[in-house]
Amino acid sequence: MKFCTVKQYFDDENNNNVTNGIATTVIPLPNKHLKIKANNKEMEQYEQELLRNVMPQELTKLILAANYLNFKEALDFFCRTVANAIQNKSVDYVRKFFGLESDFEPGEEEKLCKEFAWSFEGVDED
Amino acid sequence: MEKSVLPLPSDKDLKHLISQLPDDILVHMLSFLTLEEAVRTSVLSQRWKHLWPFFSGSLNFDDPDTMWDIAAKKKKMKFGRNKFIKRVNCILKLLRGSNLDEFRVCFEFNKDFKDLIDGWVDFAISKGVKRLELDFSPTWASIPSRPSLFYTYM
């Protein structure tokens, strides 16, 4: 059953893991998916719309919610959305996207770049 | 598909949120990227350095640039092929996940490399790939192409 955790969510009055806003976005997804399952173009458009309207931090919250609700299709959808957003982007862009800071020792990052130099070919300019 | 560019966050809380995502979710996210893109995440931070080896997406090994150079006689086949083999073996050695969606090799090989290819196929099967593609067609110079093999497991 897709919504194993949902019943628990509604039963639990002090649920802080999933805010109402997030639940509003995540829970209607199966109906949306069923309606546009046969039409990939519509799904792409829906993904694009979501990408335009949702900030990275919101996407992270959606992923956490989908994971908590044990809702695989939503989790796949949001993870794929994040993957599309960082596809072929530079390291600096992706760091900013996730709000990360480098915690490498001096020289360690350069060493990694050198080791995997072949993977850095053809990256988009920021 | 038209690619959107998301506005970059200025919210410092994002760092806290990302750290809440467990490793297996980040690895799941990486599975939607190409291998090269997943490997690139190793330089994001210490935590990300250890995630890409659990990549479970599509392993796609081909090198059309080298194949063209060989066809145009800019590179020797032996040199190009050895470099290709070295890269594949290096990646296979580093991978630590238990699953892969797809394993694809597209490069010119003849029967002299049977043992090597067998090893790669064994690797792919051990990872439970849903799709295995082996394309040993020679460079598109003047030699008639040999059949390529496609397997899809559902």
Side-chain angles (χ1 to χ4, degrees):
Chain A
M1 183 177 132
K2 283 197 213 300
F3 287 110
C4 319
T5 330
V6 173
K7 184 176 181 306
Q8 186 189 333
Y9 164 74
F10 283 113
D11 287 342
D12 184 359
E13 284 171 3
N14 293 320
N15 195 318
N16 290 321
N17 291 338
V18 179
T19 64
N20 285 332
I22 303 298
T24 315
T25 313
V26 173
I27 287 169
L29 267 182
N31 282 336
K32 187 83 192 172
H33 268 201
L34 281 168
K35 278 180 194 163
I36 61 181
K37 207 170 157 182
N39 192 338
N40 278 332
K41 188 106 174 83
E42 255 194 76
M43 198 62 214
E44 273 178 27
Q45 280 171 354
Y46 180 68
E47 270 182 41
Q48 287 294 312
E49 207 46 53
L50 195 71
L51 206 63
R52 253 191 287 275
N53 296 328
V54 165
M55 296 292 286
Q57 53 264 50
E58 290 299 310
L59 261 181
T60 313
K61 287 180 192 167
L62 286 166
I63 290 171
L64 278 168
N67 187 47
Y68 175 71
L69 292 170
N70 209 16
F71 186 359
K72 188 184 183 303
E73 280 84 353
L75 186 62
D76 282 356
F77 174 71
F78 295 132
C79 284
R80 194 173 58 243
T81 308
V82 173
N84 285 342
I86 63 172
Q87 203 174 33
N88 233 30
K89 291 287 184 286
S90 71
V91 170
D92 280 340
Y93 182 95
V94 179
R95 267 206 195 117
K96 282 183 191 146
F97 182 93
F98 286 127
L100 294 169
E101 278 164 17
S102 172
D103 52 358
F104 288 115
E105 296 292 314
E108 200 180 344
E109 188 178 329
E110 286 77 15
K111 199 174 153 204
L112 278 168
C113 285
K114 202 175 161 188
E115 188 181 348
F116 299 122
W118 52 269
S119 70
F120 285 89
E121 289 160 20
V123 175
D124 285 352
E125 282 178 19
D126 283 349
Chain B
M1 182 169 117
E2 188 203 305
K3 231 189 258 182
S4 304
V5 177
L6 276 179
L8 297 177
S10 53
D11 190 357
K12 291 273 188 282
D13 287 339
L14 183 57
K15 215 192 304 190
H16 172 64
L17 277 174
I18 289 290
S19 66
Q20 278 187 6
L21 285 178
D23 282 359
D24 60 333
I25 295 218
L26 294 180
V27 166
H28 187 55
M29 221 184 278
L30 292 182
S31 72
F32 293 104
L33 298 170
T34 65
L35 175 71
E36 286 80 7
E37 286 161 353
V39 168
R40 278 207 288 272
T41 65
S42 59
V43 305
L44 288 174
S45 72
Q46 290 284 1
R47 182 189 182 194
W48 284 82
K49 190 170 92 172
H50 302 290
L51 294 179
W52 87 259
F54 292 95
F55 180 74
S56 59
S58 291
L59 272 194
N60 191 352
F61 293 112
D62 71 9
D63 195 350
D65 291 341
T66 299
M67 294 292 278
W68 275 114
D69 284 346
I70 291 168
K73 305 217 190 301
K74 287 183 190 166
K75 265 188 193 145
K76 291 256 191 289
M77 171 60 83
K78 194 174 171 186
F79 173 79
R81 189 192 277 139
N82 282 347
K83 194 173 157 202
F84 180 83
I85 292 171
K86 196 174 163 191
R87 176 169 307 166
V88 174
N89 285 340
C90 170
I91 302 262
L92 298 198
K93 211 164 148 189
L94 289 170
L95 284 170
R96 296 173 59 194
S98 52
N99 294 306
L100 280 172
D101 284 340
E102 179 183 356
F103 183 86
R104 179 177 177 264
V105 166
C106 177
F107 204 89
E108 185 178 339
F109 286 104
N110 55 42
K111 62 181 191 297
D112 293 343
F113 296 90
K114 182 189 174 304
D115 288 344
L116 174 79
I117 304 294
D118 278 349
W120 290 351
V121 171
D122 284 344
F123 173 88
I125 291 173
S126 75
K127 301 293 181 190
V129 292
K130 298 189 195 81
R131 186 176 154 88
L132 172 67
E133 185 180 323
L134 305 171
D135 187 345
F136 303 142
S137 312
T139 53
W140 38 91
S142 54
I143 310 161
S145 61
R146 296 175 203 139
S148 50
L149 301 164
F150 294 88
Y151 293 97
T152 304
Y153 300 90
M154 299 301 287

